[in-house]
Amino acid sequence: MKNIVIPEGYQSDPDLYTTQLLIKEIKDYFQINLANNLNLKRVSAPLFVSVESGLNDNLNGFEGPVIFDVPNADRAELEIVHSLAKWKRYALKKYNFKAHEGLYTDMNAIRRCEEPDNTHSFYVDQWDWELIMDEADRDEVYLKRVVEVIYRTLKSLDEYLCTLVPERHKLLRDHITFITSQELLDKYPDVKDSTERERLAAKEYGAIFLMQIGGKLSNGEKHDNRAPDYDDWLLNGDIIVYNPILDDQLELSSMGIRVNPHRLNEQLKLTGNLDRLKYDYHKMLLDGKLPQTVGGGIGQSRLCMFFLQKAHIGEVQVSYWPDDMRRALENKGISLL
């Protein structure tokens, strides 16, 4: 329980079925409107991919995926996806999508190395989306325009929920603030913890899009680790909101313009991962066989947790929790699904 914070006097709503109904309303409303606003079509997605394909997302490079072999397929090694950042770009080519068309899908994953707390669990559910863009759009202006569309969709959901729950108050401010990870460090130079810098900015502005994550800052450290072979570290970012129930920041989405061949080589050199160029996906990218895209993931349970103001993600998501954690939360009046 050292990583769990429960607000004083907080208890779960005993009406679990109403919570389930609102979860469905949130998911249905948001995905339909996001698809309309970004011109996305729904597709099916894999739960696992072959190790040799190179399609899995390496996240920050330290988490190990769940790997298993299949006896009836020559004992091929498969791994549960961490996200679909690379697969989506491949799928857009395979399905013959055109410029300014995109896809979205439900992504379900197991992150075995996750440390469970209020907002993290071993199970991950998110909407993964990807949109083909023109090479001429490869700049910060276009990235911000896409972020604004997503934020407007979040605001629309916020207003819609107020019509379903009359006593509810809107959570989001009118505008999202754009700030780079270096600007965040410059703003709070004495705050060593990068997550605390996020919390302070989110509390001040309500919602931020924190840009340029992955490279080293002026203090010689990275704001956060990012895999080098999907997002361009100069053109990526996280949508982070202030979460009143926990007095903390909450990342709702990680996204960015994807690497082109030049940025792929640069970032793989920086991280010492040039060996990844042996994978089929990376070869296709270097050969110019994959479209230029922008994309990301939006946490489904996190969205529900935020808009329903739940103190623990287990109140809106079915996952595994260590027995001692489950008992301690029950003693504090937290009902986990």
Side-chain angles (χ1 to χ4, degrees):
M1 284 291 290
K2 64 179 180 179
N3 298 321
I4 303 291
V5 176
I6 302 301
E8 189 68 31
Y10 177 87
Q11 289 194 329
S12 295
D13 187 341
D15 187 355
L16 294 181
Y17 186 64
T18 295
T19 296
Q20 293 279 15
L21 289 175
L22 288 172
I23 289 171
K24 184 178 187 302
E25 289 286 349
I26 289 171
K27 291 185 177 182
D28 288 349
Y29 184 94
F30 183 77
Q31 68 180 333
I32 289 170
N33 284 277
L34 181 72
N36 289 337
N37 294 341
L38 284 179
N39 193 27
L40 308 175
K41 303 293 187 293
R42 187 178 180 87
V43 301
S44 299
L47 176 61
F48 44 81
V49 294
S50 68
V51 174
E52 64 184 17
S53 70
L55 283 173
N56 205 0
D57 176 0
N58 297 92
L59 299 177
N60 63 27
F62 299 104
E63 298 93 340
V66 176
I67 298 178
F68 61 97
D69 68 347
V70 280
N72 294 320
D74 299 322
R75 305 208 74 86
E77 279 198 319
L78 307 178
E79 54 188 18
I80 304 292
V81 296
H82 274 151
S83 88
L84 299 170
K86 299 170 190 169
W87 176 87
K88 292 176 296 181
R89 195 168 178 180
Y90 169 77
L92 285 169
K93 172 183 172 57
K94 184 172 182 177
Y95 299 157
N96 295 315
F97 278 65
K98 308 302 181 187
H100 306 300
E101 296 177 345
L103 59 82
Y104 79 100
T105 189
D106 283 319
M107 194 287 298
N108 298 290
I110 301 170
R111 295 188 182 170
R112 55 184 288 273
C113 296
E114 196 65 83
E115 191 169 356
D117 58 20
N118 290 75
T119 61
H120 295 85
S121 73
F122 301 118
Y123 170 65
V124 178
D125 58 339
Q126 64 184 35
W127 290 287
D128 255 309
W129 64 274
E130 199 82 8
L131 180 69
I132 295 180
M133 50 183 273
D134 292 324
E135 186 63 36
D137 291 327
R138 190 182 178 80
D139 57 28
E140 197 174 282
V141 173
Y142 180 78
L143 176 64
K144 288 181 176 180
R145 194 156 70 236
V146 174
V147 172
E148 292 280 11
V149 172
I150 296 172
Y151 190 68
R152 286 200 304 271
T153 310
L154 290 169
K155 278 185 57 187
S156 177
L157 171 60
D158 198 15
E159 293 167 358
Y160 172 67
L161 288 172
C162 288
T163 67
L164 298 181
V165 186
E167 65 273 18
R168 183 182 178 276
H169 299 287
K170 286 192 295 184
L171 293 167
L172 295 176
R173 298 188 191 177
D174 288 340
H175 304 288
I176 188 168
T177 297
F178 294 90
I179 185 169
T180 68
S181 55
Q182 181 60 55
E183 290 169 340
L184 191 69
L185 177 61
D186 295 341
K187 183 175 177 64
Y188 306 109
D190 299 324
V191 179
K192 303 303 181 184
D193 181 69
S194 59
T195 304
E196 176 61 13
R197 294 198 292 270
E198 292 178 3
R199 188 188 77 84
L200 292 171
K203 190 167 186 176
E204 178 177 349
Y205 299 113
I208 62 172
F209 184 66
L210 182 62
M211 300 185 292
Q212 299 180 8
I213 302 173
K216 287 186 178 180
L217 305 176
S218 59
N219 63 358
E221 300 176 358
K222 296 180 180 181
H223 178 86
D224 194 8
N225 288 306
R226 291 294 157 93
D229 51 1
Y230 60 97
D231 281 347
D232 184 332
W233 294 346
L234 300 177
L235 294 168
N236 69 349
D238 293 344
I239 295 177
I240 299 169
V241 296
Y242 175 65
N243 189 18
I245 192 71
L246 296 177
D247 185 29
D248 202 358
Q249 59 84 23
L250 183 64
E251 176 196 316
L252 295 180
S253 176
S254 179
M255 57 173 287
I257 290 175
R258 307 309 193 183
V259 290
N260 58 15
H262 172 68
R263 290 296 293 157
L264 175 66
N265 268 312
E266 278 197 346
Q267 292 179 181
L268 289 177
K269 286 177 184 177
L270 285 172
T271 59
N273 290 122
L274 284 171
D275 61 305
R276 294 188 191 177
L277 295 178
K278 67 185 179 184
Y279 293 124
D280 293 341
Y281 171 84
H282 299 73
K283 289 177 182 177
M284 290 180 68
L285 203 162
L286 288 179
D287 290 342
K289 296 179 178 178
L290 295 176
Q292 178 59 65
T293 63
V294 58
I298 301 171
Q300 296 185 14
S301 291
R302 285 200 175 184
L303 214 65
C304 295
M305 178 187 177
F306 173 68
F307 282 112
L308 298 180
Q309 281 297 276
K310 302 294 186 181
H312 194 280
I313 197 167
E315 296 177 88
V316 296
Q317 176 198 90
V318 180
S319 183
Y320 170 81
W321 308 98
D323 289 341
D324 57 343
M325 182 181 292
R326 183 177 286 275
R327 285 193 297 268
L329 286 167
E330 287 176 353
N331 290 336
K332 289 182 174 289
I334 305 299
S335 299
L336 302 179
L337 299 182

